[in-house]
Amino acid sequence: MQFLSMNTSGFPILSVLIFLPLAGAAILPLLGSKKQARIWTLLITLVNGALSLPLFYDFSLHSAQYQFAEHHSWIASFNINYTLGVDGISLLLVLMTTLIMPLCVLGSWKYIQSRVKEFMICLLVMETSMLGVFMALDLVLFYIFWEAMLIPMFLLIAVWGGPRKTYASIKFFLYTLAGSVFLLVAIVALYVHEGTFSIPALMGQQYAANFQLLIFLAFFLAFAIKVPMFPFHTWLPAAHVEAPTAGSVILASVLLKMGTYGFMRFCLPITPDATVTLMPALQWLSIAGILYGGFTALAQQDMKKLIAYSSVGHMGFVTLGIFALDQRGLEGAVLQMVNHGITTGALFLCVGMLYERNHSRELSAAAGLGRFMPIYVTYLTVFSLSSLAFPGTNSFVGEFMILAGAFFNNKIVAACAIPGAVLAAAYMLRMLQRVVWGGTNNPDQSKLWDLGWRETVTLAPLLIFVFWIGLAPEPFLRVMRPSLTHLLVQTGYHAPQTQALAEFFAR
Amino acid sequence: MNIHFFLPELALLAGCLLAFCMTIGKAGKKAMRGAVFCAALAYTLAAVLALPFKGSLFYDAYRVDLFSQMVKCVMGAGFCLMLLFGGEIKGIEGDVKAEYYFFLLTALLGLTLLVSSVELITLFIALELSSYSLYLLVPMRSAPDGQTWHVEAAVKYLFFGVASSGIMLFGISWIFGLTGTTYLSTILPVLHTVSSQPVGVMALVMLLCGMFFKLAVFPFHFWTPDVYQGASNETTAFISALPKVAAVAVMARFCALAAPDSIALPTLLTVLSVCSMFYGNLTALVQKDVKRMLGFSGIAHAGYILLGMVTLKAWGFATALYYGIGYLFMMLTAFLVLYTVAPNGGNVSVKNLNGLSRRSPLLAFIMTVSMFALAGIPPFAGFMGKFMLLTSAYNSGYVLLVIIAAINTAIGIYYYLQVVRAVYAEDDTSSAGAPLTTEAGTRVAGICLVGITLALGIMPETVVSMAYKAMQAAW
């Protein structure tokens, strides 16, 4: 277990982070009122967030190893272990998850009025499984968290969702699960091949070209649906639109990242040659996603749909950065994963707050808010600018690095991504223009009230991160750098196999 | 003869006798239920205590080992939990309630004898004892006037059962002709040498037919949906769970008779597995009646279990047994809810479950767990079972079969999700009734079942390694 380093006092911090929300969820049914349930959940998520902070400070910056590792035997007859650890790639995603969760609780404080306890249980179980996905270093453990996450998300959409919740929830579940079952087959195949489920042990092994290709395709299907990459995205708008605010935020901020995280954690190091061979196709798919997402977002009247489609475009940038297989591109991709989580999460919270007030998400119904909701509009403007990658905001840094990496790799591909950035400006500014100033026949918005202190506090941390990452990204980039360098070394390691695979396709 | 080897069966026999006497005396329903529960509890405890025993009884026709005792424990636990379902059996004609308990016990006795029999005639008789008890249980349902579903189901069940038994008996006669014995232990070495020949394979396949019937493997599945729908909820709970795990166990014993390098048998099992999975899942998609849907899904699950059988290895059999055990508890979990929700013991359609979470959050939760478990979503038993089955099949080189099983898992999710959706649906308030009050026994049974389903999924190590040891001990 040389890849696991222990830089703690032996305190199982990762396990605590994973299972504290679950323990909190177990206590929830015993609580009396709705208010108690809300406060308890907020407390648990805040404590979890506070507990996760030491990860950032104790993280050793000069190591590509998995840190804070825990290793216990679990199902010995199948050589399945309970192995946890974080490296530079997962650390930021873990922190983002623990940051987002309390905001989700705050964001649904008033929005959710029925079955509050059940809702909060779903949120906490969700947090457990999401953190588990980012920390698991055993494929079976990973898969269990990966799939277990679907249950609370399905319930969040199916029970507290909008009018077409049934359709949206079942579509979401079926799509993501259909991809995942092939992931399971790939996991089984890797186990039969190598006799282990340990992710670090499976990395950097030499696999035959054909075997790699099949494994890659199985992985790809699962992760591409989750991202979602074009053309696997059709579940996303429905799920986003119908989900309650907290559900949308979790979907956009964390769930979509799991697809790109999977690409980085599994596809690149375990099937490097297949990745390199299919790189051009994957880049063009990313471009298709960027352009498709941009154009469809431009045509939307529903704010939630607009942001959902913009996610398709933004995630296209992330996959473009990953499959550029370049240090800058990868760094940009990881950073953009976090950025998208912050920005889009914030935008969904904003839409949710507006929906609580005038029960509509239509752009026309929201027209002309600027006069009556100055705080809200300020927030919305900043997050929109961040979403369109305005210089000084977090997304600018991420997108810039991704494009730089892509240009280094393939100038034509990178040039094709540029219109995506322009499109983002177009649809975001269009939204801002409509909402803040409105059209000629404004509805009367004087009945709307501005953000209260709870809502202001909900959005404030995200605002801070927008500018922190936008102006001083180095602390975040520093964390991921050694891991990404190591990842690239692993990926580029098997040049002969890559050649063999390329020849195989040329025949 | 070591009488303590036979203690679980004796407990059950005593229970049967007691129940029989009580049917004559027309004892009170409460007393009857209490007596049956005590017998079942004694049976389960005796089976647990008998886990380490190993030996033969009745001139080597009956064998007690870890394998048989383990299955007995599981069936006993399942039966006890089933008795806790509700205050009183609801779907049975008033004047045969006492007899109903009696036949439940004889069915369990038949299954118990089945897993311990290592002699073909004994095994056949045990099988028939359990089958005939079940044939009798089905028409005991109290149906609304004019409805004859239950009678039709019983007739169907009887005909298919008798035909399968006939084929099985035919297979036994072939085996006897080939080997000159009906003792499994002496058949084994002889059959290994002939099991690659067509006659050996045919004999083995015909022998398996009885188990295919019990397990509802395609093409022996025709009775399943009708019997599930036609029988009362408590009967279906029994039929869908307990005989299945016994069938898996006996099937493992039979498949082990084939030579490990045999080709014909795995090929046949593969075909049956694929047909079962596709047929079961695709037909289940369109069902409205939950019991009928579970019947079709049971056919698909039989297909999954065959994944472990095709390997013809102890490890594959062990995972199949693990899946069978998990399946028993998952089905009972689902039936607990159906049983409690059913209006006056009638059938439950997916629509009837609408808004269950408002009427009883606990039952809604239990139903959700059972559906996700059956669908094979982690962290429940269904996932671990499928995962292990896939692994053992892949390990033996059945890659395509594994992929087909994976696709089928995805298909299956759809109809399980429909149930979960209905449970939490609020859009249809027409069928939502008054809050459901559940008895303490129901709550205890439900929480136990959910706990077992979860524990089997999170900590499969104990059961699966025990099953593996048991499979090795079986020979």
Side-chain angles (χ1 to χ4, degrees), chain A residues 74-78 115 140 143-144 147-148 151 154 159 166 173-174 177 181 185 188-189 191-192 197, chain B residues 315 357-358 372 377-378 383-384 387-388 390-391 394-395 406 413-414 417 420-421 424 426 458 460-461:
Chain A
W74 178 21
I75 306 172
S77 45
F78 274 85
R115 306 189 196 183
V140 175
Y143 190 82
I144 286 179
E147 291 286 82
I151 301 175
F154 169 77
V159 180
T166 307
F173 203 103
L174 282 182
L177 196 113
V181 290
V185 176
V188 168
Y191 169 68
V192 172
F197 287 109
Chain B
W315 194 234
S357 67
R358 280 231 175 279
F372 280 124
I377 310 280
F383 165 72
M384 250 325 152
F387 169 74
M388 289 179 183
L390 292 183
T391 310
Y394 195 101
N395 227 338
I413 306 285
Y414 184 75
L417 272 190
V420 179
R421 186 204 63 77
Y424 285 100
E426 283 179 46
I458 295 176
E461 182 66 20

Short mmCIF file of all heavy atoms in Angstrom, two decimals, chain A residues 74-78 115 140 143-144 147-148 151 154 159 166 173-174 177 181 185 188-189 191-192 197, chain B residues 315 357-358 372 377-378 383-384 387-388 390-391 394-395 406 413-414 417 420-421 424 426 458 460-461:
data_model
loop_
_atom_site.label_atom_id
_atom_site.label_comp_id
_atom_site.label_asym_id
_atom_site.label_seq_id
_atom_site.Cartn_x
_atom_site.Cartn_y
_atom_site.Cartn_z
N TRP A 74 -12.62 -5.64 4.04
CA TRP A 74 -14.08 -5.59 4.14
C TRP A 74 -14.70 -6.92 3.73
O TRP A 74 -15.25 -7.64 4.56
CB TRP A 74 -14.60 -4.42 3.29
CG TRP A 74 -16.07 -4.25 3.26
CD1 TRP A 74 -16.97 -4.72 4.17
CD2 TRP A 74 -16.82 -3.58 2.26
NE1 TRP A 74 -18.24 -4.36 3.81
CE2 TRP A 74 -18.18 -3.67 2.65
CE3 TRP A 74 -16.50 -2.88 1.09
CZ2 TRP A 74 -19.20 -3.10 1.88
CZ3 TRP A 74 -17.52 -2.32 0.35
CH2 TRP A 74 -18.85 -2.43 0.75
N ILE A 75 -14.61 -7.28 2.47
CA ILE A 75 -15.14 -8.57 2.05
C ILE A 75 -13.94 -9.37 1.55
O ILE A 75 -13.55 -9.28 0.39
CB ILE A 75 -16.20 -8.42 0.94
CG1 ILE A 75 -17.28 -7.45 1.40
CG2 ILE A 75 -16.80 -9.77 0.58
CD1 ILE A 75 -18.26 -7.08 0.34
N ALA A 76 -13.36 -10.11 2.47
CA ALA A 76 -12.06 -10.72 2.18
C ALA A 76 -12.13 -11.72 1.03
O ALA A 76 -11.20 -11.83 0.24
CB ALA A 76 -11.53 -11.39 3.44
N SER A 77 -13.24 -12.44 0.92
CA SER A 77 -13.28 -13.49 -0.09
C SER A 77 -13.24 -12.92 -1.51
O SER A 77 -12.90 -13.62 -2.45
CB SER A 77 -14.52 -14.36 0.10
OG SER A 77 -15.64 -13.57 0.35
N PHE A 78 -13.61 -11.66 -1.66
CA PHE A 78 -13.52 -11.03 -2.98
C PHE A 78 -12.40 -9.99 -3.02
O PHE A 78 -12.32 -9.24 -3.99
CB PHE A 78 -14.85 -10.37 -3.35
CG PHE A 78 -15.83 -11.30 -4.00
CD1 PHE A 78 -16.65 -12.09 -3.23
CD2 PHE A 78 -15.88 -11.41 -5.37
CE1 PHE A 78 -17.54 -12.96 -3.83
CE2 PHE A 78 -16.76 -12.27 -5.98
CZ PHE A 78 -17.60 -13.05 -5.20
N ARG A 115 -43.22 17.33 4.29
CA ARG A 115 -42.30 16.22 4.57
C ARG A 115 -40.87 16.73 4.75
O ARG A 115 -39.93 16.24 4.08
CB ARG A 115 -42.32 15.22 3.42
CG ARG A 115 -43.71 14.74 3.10
CD ARG A 115 -43.62 13.61 2.14
NE ARG A 115 -44.90 13.37 1.52
CZ ARG A 115 -45.14 12.40 0.68
NH1 ARG A 115 -44.17 11.59 0.35
NH2 ARG A 115 -46.32 12.22 0.17
N VAL A 140 -15.31 -1.30 -5.74
CA VAL A 140 -16.64 -1.72 -5.28
C VAL A 140 -17.22 -0.67 -4.34
O VAL A 140 -18.39 -0.31 -4.43
CB VAL A 140 -16.56 -3.10 -4.61
CG1 VAL A 140 -17.90 -3.47 -4.02
CG2 VAL A 140 -16.13 -4.13 -5.61
N TYR A 143 -18.37 2.09 -6.42
CA TYR A 143 -19.61 1.79 -7.13
C TYR A 143 -20.81 1.84 -6.18
O TYR A 143 -21.89 2.30 -6.56
CB TYR A 143 -19.52 0.43 -7.81
CG TYR A 143 -20.66 0.17 -8.75
CD1 TYR A 143 -20.64 0.66 -10.03
CD2 TYR A 143 -21.78 -0.55 -8.34
CE1 TYR A 143 -21.69 0.45 -10.91
CE2 TYR A 143 -22.84 -0.77 -9.21
CZ TYR A 143 -22.79 -0.26 -10.49
OH TYR A 143 -23.83 -0.48 -11.34
N ILE A 144 -20.62 1.37 -4.97
CA ILE A 144 -21.72 1.39 -4.01
C ILE A 144 -22.16 2.82 -3.71
O ILE A 144 -23.35 3.14 -3.75
CB ILE A 144 -21.32 0.63 -2.73
CG1 ILE A 144 -21.34 -0.86 -3.03
CG2 ILE A 144 -22.26 0.96 -1.57
CD1 ILE A 144 -20.94 -1.74 -1.90
N GLU A 147 -23.86 4.41 -6.87
CA GLU A 147 -25.23 4.00 -7.14
C GLU A 147 -26.17 4.39 -6.01
O GLU A 147 -27.32 4.76 -6.26
CB GLU A 147 -25.29 2.48 -7.32
CG GLU A 147 -24.62 1.98 -8.56
CD GLU A 147 -25.42 2.28 -9.79
OE1 GLU A 147 -25.31 3.41 -10.28
OE2 GLU A 147 -26.14 1.40 -10.27
N ALA A 148 -25.67 4.30 -4.78
CA ALA A 148 -26.53 4.62 -3.64
C ALA A 148 -27.01 6.06 -3.72
O ALA A 148 -28.10 6.39 -3.27
CB ALA A 148 -25.78 4.39 -2.33
N ILE A 151 -30.57 6.89 -5.13
CA ILE A 151 -31.81 6.71 -4.39
C ILE A 151 -32.30 8.04 -3.81
O ILE A 151 -33.42 8.46 -4.09
CB ILE A 151 -31.65 5.63 -3.31
CG1 ILE A 151 -31.25 4.31 -3.97
CG2 ILE A 151 -32.92 5.47 -2.50
CD1 ILE A 151 -30.94 3.21 -2.98
N PHE A 154 -33.26 10.43 -6.64
CA PHE A 154 -34.53 10.04 -7.26
C PHE A 154 -35.70 10.52 -6.41
O PHE A 154 -36.66 11.10 -6.91
CB PHE A 154 -34.57 8.51 -7.41
CG PHE A 154 -35.91 7.97 -7.80
CD1 PHE A 154 -36.36 8.05 -9.10
CD2 PHE A 154 -36.74 7.37 -6.85
CE1 PHE A 154 -37.59 7.56 -9.46
CE2 PHE A 154 -37.98 6.87 -7.20
CZ PHE A 154 -38.40 6.96 -8.51
N VAL A 159 -40.44 13.27 -5.26
CA VAL A 159 -41.38 13.66 -4.21
C VAL A 159 -41.55 15.17 -4.14
O VAL A 159 -42.66 15.67 -4.02
CB VAL A 159 -40.90 13.11 -2.85
CG1 VAL A 159 -41.87 13.51 -1.75
CG2 VAL A 159 -40.76 11.61 -2.91
N THR A 166 -42.51 12.92 -12.15
CA THR A 166 -42.44 11.48 -12.40
C THR A 166 -41.57 11.19 -13.61
O THR A 166 -40.64 10.38 -13.55
CB THR A 166 -43.85 10.94 -12.67
OG1 THR A 166 -44.67 11.34 -11.61
CG2 THR A 166 -43.83 9.45 -12.81
N PHE A 173 -33.08 8.49 -13.38
CA PHE A 173 -32.62 7.24 -12.77
C PHE A 173 -32.22 6.22 -13.84
O PHE A 173 -31.15 5.62 -13.78
CB PHE A 173 -33.74 6.66 -11.90
CG PHE A 173 -33.26 5.74 -10.83
CD1 PHE A 173 -33.18 6.18 -9.52
CD2 PHE A 173 -32.88 4.45 -11.12
CE1 PHE A 173 -32.75 5.34 -8.52
CE2 PHE A 173 -32.44 3.61 -10.12
CZ PHE A 173 -32.38 4.05 -8.82
N LEU A 174 -33.10 6.06 -14.82
CA LEU A 174 -32.84 5.03 -15.83
C LEU A 174 -31.59 5.36 -16.65
O LEU A 174 -30.76 4.49 -16.89
CB LEU A 174 -34.05 4.90 -16.76
CG LEU A 174 -35.20 4.10 -16.19
CD1 LEU A 174 -36.30 3.99 -17.21
CD2 LEU A 174 -34.75 2.72 -15.76
N LEU A 177 -28.47 4.96 -14.49
CA LEU A 177 -28.24 3.57 -14.11
C LEU A 177 -27.86 2.72 -15.31
O LEU A 177 -27.02 1.83 -15.22
CB LEU A 177 -29.47 2.99 -13.43
CG LEU A 177 -29.03 1.74 -12.71
CD1 LEU A 177 -29.15 1.93 -11.23
CD2 LEU A 177 -29.78 0.55 -13.16
N VAL A 181 -24.49 0.25 -15.17
CA VAL A 181 -24.39 -1.21 -15.14
C VAL A 181 -23.21 -1.67 -15.99
O VAL A 181 -22.58 -2.69 -15.68
CB VAL A 181 -25.69 -1.92 -15.58
CG1 VAL A 181 -26.76 -1.74 -14.53
CG2 VAL A 181 -26.17 -1.48 -16.91
N VAL A 185 -19.86 -3.99 -15.08
CA VAL A 185 -19.25 -5.07 -15.86
C VAL A 185 -17.75 -4.80 -16.03
O VAL A 185 -16.93 -5.71 -15.90
CB VAL A 185 -19.95 -5.21 -17.22
CG1 VAL A 185 -19.26 -6.24 -18.09
CG2 VAL A 185 -21.40 -5.59 -17.04
N VAL A 188 -15.98 -5.63 -12.86
CA VAL A 188 -15.82 -7.08 -12.72
C VAL A 188 -14.70 -7.58 -13.63
O VAL A 188 -13.86 -8.39 -13.23
CB VAL A 188 -17.16 -7.78 -13.04
CG1 VAL A 188 -16.96 -9.27 -13.21
CG2 VAL A 188 -18.18 -7.50 -11.95
N ALA A 189 -14.68 -7.05 -14.85
CA ALA A 189 -13.64 -7.49 -15.80
C ALA A 189 -12.25 -7.14 -15.29
O ALA A 189 -11.33 -7.97 -15.34
CB ALA A 189 -13.88 -6.83 -17.16
N TYR A 191 -11.38 -6.78 -12.22
CA TYR A 191 -11.09 -7.63 -11.06
C TYR A 191 -10.63 -9.01 -11.52
O TYR A 191 -9.64 -9.56 -11.02
CB TYR A 191 -12.32 -7.75 -10.19
CG TYR A 191 -12.22 -8.80 -9.11
CD1 TYR A 191 -11.33 -8.64 -8.05
CD2 TYR A 191 -12.98 -9.96 -9.16
CE1 TYR A 191 -11.22 -9.60 -7.07
CE2 TYR A 191 -12.88 -10.92 -8.19
CZ TYR A 191 -12.00 -10.75 -7.15
OH TYR A 191 -11.89 -11.71 -6.18
N VAL A 192 -11.34 -9.57 -12.49
CA VAL A 192 -10.98 -10.91 -12.96
C VAL A 192 -9.59 -10.87 -13.59
O VAL A 192 -8.80 -11.80 -13.47
CB VAL A 192 -12.04 -11.42 -13.95
CG1 VAL A 192 -11.59 -12.72 -14.60
CG2 VAL A 192 -13.36 -11.63 -13.25
N PHE A 197 -9.56 -4.90 -6.51
CA PHE A 197 -10.45 -3.78 -6.79
C PHE A 197 -9.80 -2.46 -6.42
O PHE A 197 -10.41 -1.41 -6.53
CB PHE A 197 -11.75 -3.92 -5.99
CG PHE A 197 -12.67 -4.99 -6.50
CD1 PHE A 197 -12.87 -6.15 -5.79
CD2 PHE A 197 -13.33 -4.82 -7.70
CE1 PHE A 197 -13.72 -7.12 -6.27
CE2 PHE A 197 -14.18 -5.78 -8.18
CZ PHE A 197 -14.37 -6.95 -7.46
N TRP B 315 -17.81 -22.02 -5.96
CA TRP B 315 -17.91 -20.59 -5.71
C TRP B 315 -19.17 -20.01 -6.35
O TRP B 315 -19.87 -19.19 -5.77
CB TRP B 315 -16.65 -19.92 -6.22
CG TRP B 315 -16.49 -18.52 -5.74
CD1 TRP B 315 -16.29 -17.44 -6.52
CD2 TRP B 315 -16.53 -18.07 -4.39
NE1 TRP B 315 -16.22 -16.33 -5.73
CE2 TRP B 315 -16.35 -16.69 -4.42
CE3 TRP B 315 -16.72 -18.69 -3.15
CZ2 TRP B 315 -16.34 -15.92 -3.28
CZ3 TRP B 315 -16.71 -17.91 -2.01
CH2 TRP B 315 -16.53 -16.55 -2.08
N SER B 357 -46.94 6.84 1.31
CA SER B 357 -46.05 7.51 2.25
C SER B 357 -46.83 8.45 3.17
O SER B 357 -46.38 8.75 4.27
CB SER B 357 -44.99 8.29 1.50
OG SER B 357 -45.57 9.34 0.80
N ARG B 358 -48.00 8.91 2.71
CA ARG B 358 -48.82 9.74 3.59
C ARG B 358 -49.54 8.87 4.62
O ARG B 358 -49.71 9.27 5.76
CB ARG B 358 -49.89 10.47 2.76
CG ARG B 358 -49.40 11.68 2.07
CD ARG B 358 -50.30 12.88 2.38
NE ARG B 358 -49.75 14.09 1.81
CZ ARG B 358 -48.78 14.78 2.39
NH1 ARG B 358 -48.29 14.40 3.55
NH2 ARG B 358 -48.31 15.87 1.82
N PHE B 372 -35.75 -1.20 -4.17
CA PHE B 372 -34.37 -0.89 -4.55
C PHE B 372 -33.48 -2.12 -4.39
O PHE B 372 -32.56 -2.35 -5.16
CB PHE B 372 -33.83 0.30 -3.75
CG PHE B 372 -34.28 1.62 -4.28
CD1 PHE B 372 -34.94 2.53 -3.47
CD2 PHE B 372 -34.06 1.96 -5.60
CE1 PHE B 372 -35.37 3.75 -3.97
CE2 PHE B 372 -34.49 3.17 -6.11
CZ PHE B 372 -35.14 4.07 -5.29
N ILE B 377 -29.82 -2.18 -6.41
CA ILE B 377 -29.14 -0.91 -6.15
C ILE B 377 -28.40 -1.04 -4.83
O ILE B 377 -28.98 -1.50 -3.85
CB ILE B 377 -30.16 0.24 -6.02
CG1 ILE B 377 -31.13 0.24 -7.18
CG2 ILE B 377 -29.46 1.57 -5.88
CD1 ILE B 377 -30.63 0.84 -8.43
N PRO B 378 -27.13 -0.64 -4.78
CA PRO B 378 -26.44 -0.68 -3.49
C PRO B 378 -27.10 0.29 -2.53
O PRO B 378 -27.70 1.26 -2.98
CB PRO B 378 -25.01 -0.24 -3.82
CG PRO B 378 -25.00 0.12 -5.25
CD PRO B 378 -26.32 -0.13 -5.84
N PHE B 383 -27.91 -5.95 -4.65
CA PHE B 383 -26.73 -5.52 -5.39
C PHE B 383 -25.56 -6.47 -5.17
O PHE B 383 -24.93 -6.94 -6.11
CB PHE B 383 -26.32 -4.10 -4.99
CG PHE B 383 -24.92 -3.76 -5.43
CD1 PHE B 383 -24.67 -3.54 -6.77
CD2 PHE B 383 -23.88 -3.72 -4.53
CE1 PHE B 383 -23.39 -3.28 -7.20
CE2 PHE B 383 -22.60 -3.46 -4.96
CZ PHE B 383 -22.35 -3.23 -6.30
N MET B 384 -25.27 -6.75 -3.90
CA MET B 384 -24.13 -7.62 -3.61
C MET B 384 -24.32 -8.98 -4.29
O MET B 384 -23.38 -9.55 -4.82
CB MET B 384 -24.01 -7.82 -2.10
CG MET B 384 -22.82 -7.17 -1.45
SD MET B 384 -21.35 -7.11 -2.42
CE MET B 384 -20.59 -5.66 -1.78
N PHE B 387 -23.76 -8.62 -7.97
CA PHE B 387 -22.35 -8.35 -8.20
C PHE B 387 -21.54 -9.64 -8.12
O PHE B 387 -20.69 -9.93 -8.96
CB PHE B 387 -21.86 -7.34 -7.16
CG PHE B 387 -20.39 -7.18 -7.10
CD1 PHE B 387 -19.73 -6.49 -8.10
CD2 PHE B 387 -19.67 -7.72 -6.07
CE1 PHE B 387 -18.36 -6.36 -8.06
CE2 PHE B 387 -18.29 -7.58 -6.02
CZ PHE B 387 -17.65 -6.90 -7.02
N MET B 388 -21.81 -10.44 -7.10
CA MET B 388 -21.05 -11.68 -6.94
C MET B 388 -21.39 -12.67 -8.04
O MET B 388 -20.51 -13.38 -8.54
CB MET B 388 -21.37 -12.30 -5.59
CG MET B 388 -20.76 -11.51 -4.45
SD MET B 388 -21.18 -12.28 -2.92
CE MET B 388 -20.45 -11.13 -1.79
N LEU B 390 -22.33 -11.93 -11.08
CA LEU B 390 -21.66 -11.45 -12.28
C LEU B 390 -20.18 -11.80 -12.23
O LEU B 390 -19.60 -12.25 -13.21
CB LEU B 390 -21.82 -9.93 -12.42
CG LEU B 390 -23.21 -9.37 -12.72
CD1 LEU B 390 -23.15 -7.87 -12.88
CD2 LEU B 390 -23.79 -9.97 -13.98
N THR B 391 -19.59 -11.59 -11.06
CA THR B 391 -18.16 -11.86 -10.94
C THR B 391 -17.87 -13.34 -11.18
O THR B 391 -16.94 -13.68 -11.93
CB THR B 391 -17.65 -11.45 -9.55
OG1 THR B 391 -18.09 -10.13 -9.29
CG2 THR B 391 -16.15 -11.51 -9.48
N TYR B 394 -18.36 -14.13 -14.86
CA TYR B 394 -17.29 -13.55 -15.68
C TYR B 394 -16.01 -14.35 -15.50
O TYR B 394 -15.29 -14.61 -16.44
CB TYR B 394 -17.07 -12.09 -15.27
CG TYR B 394 -16.25 -11.30 -16.27
CD1 TYR B 394 -16.86 -10.44 -17.17
CD2 TYR B 394 -14.87 -11.43 -16.32
CE1 TYR B 394 -16.13 -9.73 -18.08
CE2 TYR B 394 -14.12 -10.73 -17.25
CZ TYR B 394 -14.75 -9.88 -18.13
OH TYR B 394 -14.02 -9.18 -19.04
N ASN B 395 -15.78 -14.73 -14.27
CA ASN B 395 -14.58 -15.50 -13.95
C ASN B 395 -14.53 -16.81 -14.72
O ASN B 395 -13.46 -17.31 -15.04
CB ASN B 395 -14.56 -15.79 -12.45
CG ASN B 395 -13.21 -15.50 -11.86
OD1 ASN B 395 -12.22 -15.47 -12.58
ND2 ASN B 395 -13.18 -15.26 -10.57
N ALA B 406 -26.43 -7.60 -17.13
CA ALA B 406 -26.33 -6.18 -16.76
C ALA B 406 -27.42 -5.38 -17.45
O ALA B 406 -28.07 -4.53 -16.83
CB ALA B 406 -24.95 -5.64 -17.14
N ILE B 413 -35.03 -2.11 -13.47
CA ILE B 413 -35.19 -0.93 -12.63
C ILE B 413 -36.51 -0.23 -12.90
O ILE B 413 -37.16 0.28 -12.00
CB ILE B 413 -34.07 0.09 -12.93
CG1 ILE B 413 -32.72 -0.56 -12.81
CG2 ILE B 413 -34.19 1.29 -12.03
CD1 ILE B 413 -32.28 -0.79 -11.44
N TYR B 414 -36.91 -0.22 -14.17
CA TYR B 414 -38.05 0.61 -14.55
C TYR B 414 -39.30 0.25 -13.76
O TYR B 414 -39.95 1.11 -13.17
CB TYR B 414 -38.31 0.48 -16.06
CG TYR B 414 -39.42 1.38 -16.53
CD1 TYR B 414 -39.21 2.74 -16.67
CD2 TYR B 414 -40.69 0.88 -16.79
CE1 TYR B 414 -40.22 3.58 -17.09
CE2 TYR B 414 -41.71 1.71 -17.20
CZ TYR B 414 -41.46 3.06 -17.34
OH TYR B 414 -42.47 3.89 -17.73
N LEU B 417 -39.03 0.99 -10.06
CA LEU B 417 -39.15 2.43 -9.80
C LEU B 417 -40.59 2.90 -9.84
O LEU B 417 -40.98 3.79 -9.10
CB LEU B 417 -38.36 3.20 -10.86
CG LEU B 417 -36.91 3.45 -10.57
CD1 LEU B 417 -36.36 4.43 -11.59
CD2 LEU B 417 -36.73 4.04 -9.19
N VAL B 420 -41.96 2.53 -6.48
CA VAL B 420 -41.45 3.55 -5.56
C VAL B 420 -42.11 4.90 -5.85
O VAL B 420 -42.50 5.62 -4.94
CB VAL B 420 -39.91 3.68 -5.70
CG1 VAL B 420 -39.39 4.75 -4.76
CG2 VAL B 420 -39.25 2.36 -5.40
N ARG B 421 -42.23 5.19 -7.12
CA ARG B 421 -42.85 6.45 -7.51
C ARG B 421 -44.28 6.52 -6.98
O ARG B 421 -44.70 7.51 -6.40
CB ARG B 421 -42.87 6.56 -9.03
CG ARG B 421 -43.35 7.89 -9.54
CD ARG B 421 -43.90 7.75 -10.94
NE ARG B 421 -45.06 6.88 -11.01
CZ ARG B 421 -46.29 7.23 -10.63
NH1 ARG B 421 -46.52 8.43 -10.15
NH2 ARG B 421 -47.29 6.38 -10.72
N TYR B 424 -44.61 7.25 -3.28
CA TYR B 424 -44.38 8.63 -2.86
C TYR B 424 -45.19 9.64 -3.67
O TYR B 424 -45.03 10.83 -3.50
CB TYR B 424 -42.89 8.97 -2.96
CG TYR B 424 -42.11 8.35 -1.83
CD1 TYR B 424 -41.39 7.19 -2.01
CD2 TYR B 424 -42.15 8.92 -0.55
CE1 TYR B 424 -40.70 6.61 -0.97
CE2 TYR B 424 -41.47 8.35 0.49
CZ TYR B 424 -40.74 7.19 0.28
OH TYR B 424 -40.07 6.62 1.32
N GLU B 426 -48.04 12.05 -4.95
CA GLU B 426 -49.07 12.81 -4.26
C GLU B 426 -50.11 13.31 -5.23
O GLU B 426 -51.15 13.82 -4.84
CB GLU B 426 -48.44 14.03 -3.56
CG GLU B 426 -47.74 13.66 -2.29
CD GLU B 426 -47.12 14.88 -1.66
OE1 GLU B 426 -47.78 15.91 -1.57
OE2 GLU B 426 -45.96 14.79 -1.24
N ILE B 458 -24.33 -5.05 3.11
CA ILE B 458 -23.12 -4.36 3.57
C ILE B 458 -22.08 -5.36 4.08
O ILE B 458 -20.89 -5.19 3.87
CB ILE B 458 -23.48 -3.35 4.67
CG1 ILE B 458 -24.36 -2.25 4.09
CG2 ILE B 458 -22.24 -2.73 5.27
CD1 ILE B 458 -24.85 -1.26 5.10
N PRO B 460 -21.66 -8.98 3.45
CA PRO B 460 -22.00 -10.28 2.87
C PRO B 460 -20.99 -11.36 3.25
O PRO B 460 -21.25 -12.54 3.04
CB PRO B 460 -21.95 -10.00 1.37
CG PRO B 460 -20.98 -8.89 1.23
CD PRO B 460 -21.04 -8.08 2.48
N GLU B 461 -19.86 -10.92 3.80
CA GLU B 461 -18.74 -11.84 4.01
C GLU B 461 -19.15 -13.09 4.77
O GLU B 461 -18.88 -14.22 4.35
CB GLU B 461 -17.62 -11.10 4.75
CG GLU B 461 -16.38 -11.91 5.01
CD GLU B 461 -15.64 -12.28 3.73
OE1 GLU B 461 -15.87 -11.63 2.70
OE2 GLU B 461 -14.88 -13.26 3.77
#
